[in-house]
Amino acid sequence: MGIQLNSGPLVKRHNYQENAEMNITPFVDVMLVLLIIFMVAAPLATVDVPVDLPSNAAAPNPPPEEPVYVSVQADGKLFVQEQALSLEQLAAGVHAITDNDVRTRLFLRGDKAVEYGTLMQVMNTLQKAGYSQISLVASEELEP
């Protein structure tokens, strides 16, 4: 709230009029700071393993609170979250991340250049380790 100072001859020295206009400048400043914070924080919440995913036309399901991703890159490299592992180390790596909870849903991200047999080896290794809830991840289809 501001005041209006009139300095004419008819205005007394302490006769101030209140200005009823709202000052939104501090509100805009706070909103811009919040926007910058969210723009910086949003890219940090994603997985950093680059995988070229195939498209999918099905409706997406809501993700769980803390998803566990198993990624297979085009050259056959295997990652659990962002940790590189071999196929022999996969079961131990997933057990370490999930605290041996075999009811945890795993998300398998495979590059579309990866052979089907490679993905099946990864899935079979996870199933032999006791994980039965394995979901395949695909990018959303842009045009039907």
Side-chain angles (χ1 to χ4, degrees):
M1 184 178 290
I3 61 171
Q4 183 176 359
L5 300 173
N6 291 333
S7 60
L10 300 176
V11 178
K12 294 180 183 176
R13 181 178 170 109
H14 296 287
N15 188 13
Y16 300 120
Q17 293 178 343
E18 289 187 10
N19 187 359
E21 294 178 10
M22 184 182 268
N23 187 1
I24 64 166
T25 303
F27 175 72
V28 172
D29 291 343
V30 169
M31 294 307 292
L32 288 174
V33 168
L34 287 174
L35 176 68
I36 291 170
I37 289 171
F38 284 115
M39 287 174 59
V40 169
L44 300 176
T46 60
V47 177
D48 291 337
V49 178
V51 175
D52 188 18
L53 297 172
S55 62
N56 181 16
N61 293 333
E65 298 85 28
E66 294 184 19
V68 177
Y69 289 102
V70 178
S71 304
V72 183
Q73 288 184 328
D75 56 357
K77 290 183 182 175
L78 189 62
F79 292 87
V80 176
Q81 297 296 67
E82 295 179 8
Q83 180 182 3
L85 298 173
S86 67
L87 190 60
E88 295 78 23
Q89 301 169 332
L90 178 63
V94 174
H95 281 308
I97 289 177
T98 62
D99 295 328
N100 292 325
D101 185 8
V102 294
R103 294 174 293 147
T104 304
R105 180 175 294 277
L106 303 177
F107 293 91
L108 181 59
R109 301 170 66 233
D111 195 286
K112 59 181 165 181
V114 174
E115 294 181 7
Y116 181 74
T118 305
L119 286 179
M120 288 307 298
Q121 284 178 337
V122 172
M123 286 183 71
N124 288 336
T125 304
L126 292 172
Q127 287 176 344
K128 287 178 185 175
Y131 294 95
S132 60
Q133 297 183 7
I134 303 170
S135 299
L136 295 175
V137 178
S139 62
E140 294 182 26
E141 186 175 272
L142 299 177
E143 295 180 12

